Amino acid sequence: NKKAFVELLFWKSPAVVYEMTKGYSSLQEGEGTTRSRVPPWTPQEEQELRELYWKYKEVEGGDIIAAILAHLPAPGRTRRQVVKQLVRM
């Protein structure tokens, strides 16, 4: 690749550097990114999240996300993950 030197100026992460030096598509899908550390939401977890949201949505003066996190059966989910998943759904 005659223009590879341009890519040297714009490395974004160690995963991109690895991919450049070892060859493109050398990483498996999601490997080397922060997304691979976050377990995907299962359909059961999504359903539970949906039910908890509708249950605590009408509670006044309370933090909906805090209430959902307290009653979410799957431990290890962060506030940010819950908010992101609610927005996605």
Side-chain angles (χ1 to χ4, degrees):
N1 186 358
K2 294 179 181 179
K3 297 179 183 177
F5 68 91
V6 175
E7 289 188 48
L8 295 173
L9 302 173
F10 300 102
W11 286 350
K12 293 181 176 68
S13 68
V16 174
V17 174
Y18 178 83
E19 192 172 29
M20 262 187 73
T21 57
K22 299 296 182 183
Y24 293 105
S25 69
S26 59
L27 290 176
Q28 299 299 320
E29 185 175 330
E31 186 179 321
T33 63
T34 56
R35 286 179 218 167
S36 65
R37 296 180 195 143
V38 177
W41 288 81
T42 64
Q44 295 82 10
E45 288 177 326
E46 286 182 359
Q47 181 63 31
E48 185 69 27
L49 183 62
R50 189 175 291 114
E51 289 172 6
L52 288 170
Y53 172 75
W54 287 109
K55 181 178 178 181
Y56 293 108
K57 179 181 145 187
E58 300 298 326
V59 176
E60 291 185 28
D63 184 11
I64 297 171
I65 305 301
I68 290 173
L69 282 171
H71 293 92
L72 201 60
R77 294 287 183 186
T78 64
R79 181 179 182 88
R80 185 176 193 160
Q81 289 171 348
V82 170
V83 169
K84 195 172 186 179
Q85 184 66 17
L86 283 171
V87 169
R88 190 189 69 75
M89 291 179 3

